[in-house]
Amino acid sequence: MQIMTTDWTNKITEITLFVEDLNRSKAFYKETFKLAILFEDDACAVFDYGNTYINLLNQSNANELVEPAPVGRSGDGARFQFTIQVPDVDRVCEELKERGVQLLNGPITRPWGRRTACFADPDGHMWEIAQVL
């Protein structure tokens, strides 16, 4: 069976995260990931994360993007998780702690051959760092 790919399935270029406090979230992404802002205005801030842009958008501006779907409220629990592959989870956890990031769990050696740790941004968006063992 041959899997067909089209131009739109090659890569994710932007991720838009709806945030309650834009300034708080900008500070988190600048300090935690050491990213520079590519663009910002009163409603959003865009960071370059390698091959993907992370767009932080004020939650109050999200309706125009997703209507007629409702915008979910933060605090309703985890709904997804981003995973970043790293060569050494323990080293990255130490760096995150030095930057003031509180880990939710880990580092944990998982039975499926990964060592992982999780943390959340100020709006509850989950991030996992993972090392293939």
Side-chain angles (χ1 to χ4, degrees):
M1 176 180 180
Q2 182 179 7
I3 298 175
M4 302 284 284
T5 60
T6 62
D7 289 341
W8 62 271
T9 60
N10 290 334
K11 65 180 179 176
I12 295 173
T13 58
E14 290 95 23
I15 296 170
T16 299
L17 303 176
F18 305 146
V19 301
E20 290 183 8
D21 182 329
L22 183 59
N23 288 325
R24 177 187 69 184
S25 294
K26 282 190 316 190
F28 178 86
Y29 280 83
K30 280 199 248 184
E31 291 304 313
T32 300
F33 295 105
K34 301 297 183 195
L35 298 175
I37 295 176
L38 293 178
F39 171 83
E40 69 179 310
D41 61 19
D42 292 339
C44 73
V46 179
F47 294 90
D48 185 353
Y49 191 84
N51 294 324
T52 304
Y53 293 133
I54 297 174
N55 177 26
L56 306 177
L57 179 67
N58 269 331
Q59 189 164 327
S60 61
N61 297 91
N63 285 330
E64 65 187 87
L65 291 180
V66 299
E67 285 179 333
V71 175
R73 296 176 312 182
S74 70
D76 285 345
R79 295 171 294 210
F80 60 86
Q81 173 177 280
F82 299 107
T83 299
I84 303 165
Q85 295 292 325
V86 299
D88 185 344
V89 164
D90 294 280
R91 183 184 58 75
V92 173
C93 285
E94 288 304 315
E95 288 179 21
L96 289 170
K97 288 176 188 175
E98 289 171 9
R99 295 175 189 173
V101 176
Q102 182 176 354
L103 297 177
L104 298 174
N105 64 44
I108 302 168
T109 299
R110 304 291 187 171
W112 52 85
R114 301 280 190 276
R115 186 155 173 79
T116 69
C118 286
F119 62 95
D121 76 4
D123 292 279
H125 301 114
M126 302 295 295
W127 288 86
E128 175 188 60
I129 50 175
Q131 172 185 349
V132 176
L133 299 177

